[in-house]
Structures are given as structure tokens and as C-alpha cells.
Amino acid sequence: MPGNGEYPVAGTYSEHLRSFLLSRGVWHRFIEFDEPVKTVEQAARKVEVEQIVKSIVLVDSNDAPLLVILPAKNRISYRKIKTLLGVKDVRLANEDEILAYSGFPVGGVPPFNPLRRALVDQEVLKNPTAIAGGGDINKLVELHTKDIIEILKPTIADLTHESR
């Protein structure tokens, strides 16, 4: 896995992810796009929206990073995460922090990365497979949801902002 200050060259992030998945015997399927996938709408051209999850890197008020995985169509609830973690605040990591903490660039962060503190929204468990960032910004990866849970051993909770 990328990390320890060694970042692969753009275009090879997905190869590092593939190596990790193969070394762990994790079933996966990469889905490649001709251009960067920056929105759910772009991803939905090739995959079902309900299966797409986003891996978000946050930093809490103690400057500790964490990974939050939730359905791509949902909005993150910072209030619920602060309450769950018992911290004063959480914020989105910036572009440099995302690369430093996860080893992957913005838009390519997969569920499997060096971050060991992880939260997964309970709605992610509704689907047998999840489609997530595939390492590079033009790739997604399909994974079995149970593998994400078994490997990450995350806290599972309601992390979604209610829209009214």
C-alpha cells in the first residue's frame, strides 16, 4: 500500500491498490473511464448509483485523520460524526492531507488505504457489493461489502445528514 511518504506516480495508484487486493485474496473488478470521475452523475454512466460509495478523509479537532465511507448519494453529517467520536470538531482533509494520510489522490481514495480509524454508514451494508474510488481518478473498483467490513473493522453507524 502507498504510504510512509512514498507516493506512486499518477496512473499507478490503482496498481498499488490491485496489488493489495490480490495479496489479500479480495475479489474486485476495476471499472475504467476515459476521463476523471468527479461526480456521481459521471460514475452513473457505467454503474448503478445505489452501489457507489465515497471514501472521505476527515481530520478531527485532535488533528487525527479518519476515513468515512457512505453512499455517494448521501451527505455526510459532521454533527453525528463529532458525537460518535466525542470530539469538538471534524473537517474535510485538504488535498495534501488526503494524499499524505490515505496515500491516494482526491477522487481516487479507495476504502483500503493506510488509515486505520474508519467509520462506515450503515446504509452501505444494504448492498452485497460497493463501487468505490479505484486509486486513480479515472477508475472505480467494485468490491464485496463484507470484505470492506472484514478488513477495515470499522465503526458502523448512521453518518448521513437528513435532508428535510
Side-chain angles (χ1 to χ4, degrees), residues 106-120:
V106 171
V109 178
F112 304 124
N113 62 65
L115 285 167
R116 290 293 143 244
R117 190 167 63 144
L119 306 175
V120 172

Side-chain angles (χ1 to χ4, degrees), residues 33 37 39-48 52 140:
F33 289 76
V37 181
T39 66
V40 173
E41 290 76 23
Q42 288 172 320
R45 293 182 197 147
K46 288 193 177 189
V47 299
E48 289 292 320
I52 305 170
L140 297 175

Side-chain angles (χ1 to χ4, degrees), residues 18-19 21 23 28 31 37-38 43 49-50 62 85-86 89 91-92 94-95 103-104 112 119 122 130-131 142 162:
R18 184 186 317 272
S19 295
L21 295 170
S23 74
H28 62 281
I31 303 156
V37 181
K38 294 182 178 178
V49 171
E50 279 66 39
N62 300 317
L85 298 176
D89 203 13
R91 64 172 174 81
L92 283 174
N94 65 39
E95 203 168 316
F104 292 91
F112 304 124
L119 306 175
Q122 61 199 19
I131 296 172
E142 184 174 11
E162 289 90 19

Side-chain angles (χ1 to χ4, degrees), residues 73-91:
K73 62 183 178 16
N74 294 7
R75 286 183 44 223
I76 192 168
S77 170
Y78 294 102
R79 181 184 56 77
K80 289 178 182 177
I81 291 170
K82 286 189 289 191
T83 301
L84 185 67
L85 298 176
V87 295
K88 271 193 303 199
D89 203 13
V90 291
R91 64 172 174 81

